[in-house]
Amino acid sequence: MPVRSEEGAAIRRPGRWVLERADGIGGFTTGLRWERHDGTSAQWESRTARRRGRIQVHGAEGGTSAVEAEPTTVRRLRRLNVVAAVSFVLGGSLFALGAYLAQAGIGAARTVDDVYLVGGVFFSLGGYVSVLQATNAPTEIDEHGTLRSARWRWWRSRPHDLGWASAVVLFAGTLAFGVSLVAAFAEDLTVRQTNTWMWLPDMAGCVCFLASGHLAQLEIGHGHVRVRSAELGWWVVAVNQVGSILFFFAGLAAYTRPATEAVLYLGLVNWGTFAGAAGFVIGGFLQIFERPVAPSDR
């Protein structure tokens, strides 16, 4: 296997470390392994570094240990993670509630729209904080293998980072959903206007969610979609992707037919949304535990 370049990862590491291998796909780097001067090797994986703030050190005679990030970086990553995770739990819960109210015919249509809109705000918040997680991922490694973050940034382009690309696409999807959710409050829309301002943005959001999930799968699988059931991060990505698929089918079913002025399949719209939202609730709950180890936890 040809050795890939490590430049795309934008990692600052000790100059005496020698690159053994680099993993990824296309122009994206998802994993690096260096040989250290003492005969051990250090392994960096993009998602593990971003979410857990750690790298793996492999001993010269076998055995593996995790090196945690320095305390300031740990606190930053933990705070971002809990805000993103709780936002997805709340957003998914409200979407599930809205779908249930709509299916059961409980409350006025405006009440359902209100619930969806607030849920959309939490989804957008979770999406933006996910971008912040990727933007401020630790990229500096010292001689001991300890990760640390550079100065705080509200935005930074990281075009060779699959995690960053996944987060940006996800955030764009939440904004597209927002257009659809706001348009739902408009009155006396024609069928064409309904499909243009509600269905099309909704489908754009669904496609973004699917694309984001696929990029996340490629990141955690180092360029391949593979099962890594021993890793919590894989479960977070897998459950969210199932939710995205269900959202997509619910979105397709929400198309309004010009001939009848009715959606294709209302039951699938509501139950697909409910199940998809439940997937994001579960994924958000799991994400709470995909965090760095704080000094107090050691």
Side-chain angles (χ1 to χ4, degrees), residues 39 57 76 84 102 117 122 130 132 158 171 185 209 211 219 222 225-226 235 239 260 287:
V57 173
R76 177 184 295 175
L117 182 62
F122 280 112
S130 297
L132 288 179
R158 302 191 64 183
F171 181 50
F185 287 87
F209 270 46
E219 180 191 29
H222 298 299
V225 177
R226 55 174 60 135
W235 284 102
V239 171
T260 62
Q287 184 180 330

Side-chain angles (χ1 to χ4, degrees), residues 79-284:
R79 289 168 183 165
L80 287 171
N81 185 68
V82 72
V83 173
V86 171
S87 295
F88 286 126
V89 169
L90 292 176
S93 298
L94 288 168
F95 262 54
L97 175 61
Y100 173 76
L101 294 176
Q103 179 64 27
I106 300 174
R110 183 54 56 89
T111 301
V112 174
D113 292 339
D114 288 337
V115 172
Y116 274 136
L117 182 62
V118 177
V121 171
F122 280 112
F123 263 121
S124 293
L125 176 61
Y128 177 62
V129 176
S130 297
V131 175
L132 288 179
Q133 283 183 300
T135 297
N136 294 283
T139 56
E140 299 179 6
I141 309 175
D142 65 16
E143 287 281 357
H144 304 289
T146 302
L147 279 164
R148 66 180 66 249
S149 301
R151 65 182 180 86
W152 174 265
R153 296 173 184 265
W154 292 102
W155 171 261
R156 178 174 57 168
S157 177
R158 302 191 64 183
H160 297 287
D161 185 341
L162 261 180
W164 180 86
S166 174
V168 169
V169 173
L170 176 69
F171 181 50
T174 67
L175 296 181
F177 279 140
V179 173
S180 176
L181 296 174
V182 171
F185 287 87
E187 298 180 355
D188 300 324
L189 293 179
T190 65
V191 171
R192 182 175 182 179
Q193 290 172 328
T194 298
N195 286 331
T196 300
W197 291 106
M198 295 176 61
W199 183 75
L200 281 178
D202 185 44
M203 288 306 302
C206 291
V207 171
C208 285
F209 270 46
L210 285 172
S212 172
H214 184 65
L215 292 175
Q217 289 178 312
L218 292 177
E219 180 191 29
I220 207 165
H222 298 299
H224 303 277
V225 177
R226 55 174 60 135
V227 176
R228 301 183 70 174
S229 56
E231 297 184 21
L232 178 60
W234 180 86
W235 284 102
V236 173
V237 171
V239 171
N240 284 341
Q241 188 68 337
V242 171
S244 297
I245 292 171
L246 292 168
F247 274 161
F248 179 76
F249 284 116
L252 287 176
Y255 178 78
T256 301
R257 292 174 289 188
T260 62
E261 298 186 2
V263 300
L264 289 177
Y265 191 173
L266 184 58
L268 179 56
V269 173
N270 292 329
W271 287 120
T273 301
F274 179 89
F280 276 90
V281 172
I282 296 170

Side-chain angles (χ1 to χ4, degrees), residues 16 33-34 51 165 183 221 270:
R16 291 187 294 174
R33 182 168 175 144
W34 302 277
R51 292 294 183 92
N270 292 329

Side-chain angles (χ1 to χ4, degrees), residues 28-50:
F28 298 104
T29 301
T30 61
L32 297 167
R33 182 168 175 144
W34 302 277
E35 180 182 351
R36 306 202 300 176
H37 62 281
D38 59 359
T40 63
S41 60
Q43 184 170 335
W44 168 92
E45 294 187 350
S46 56
R47 184 179 179 94
T48 302
R50 182 178 73 255

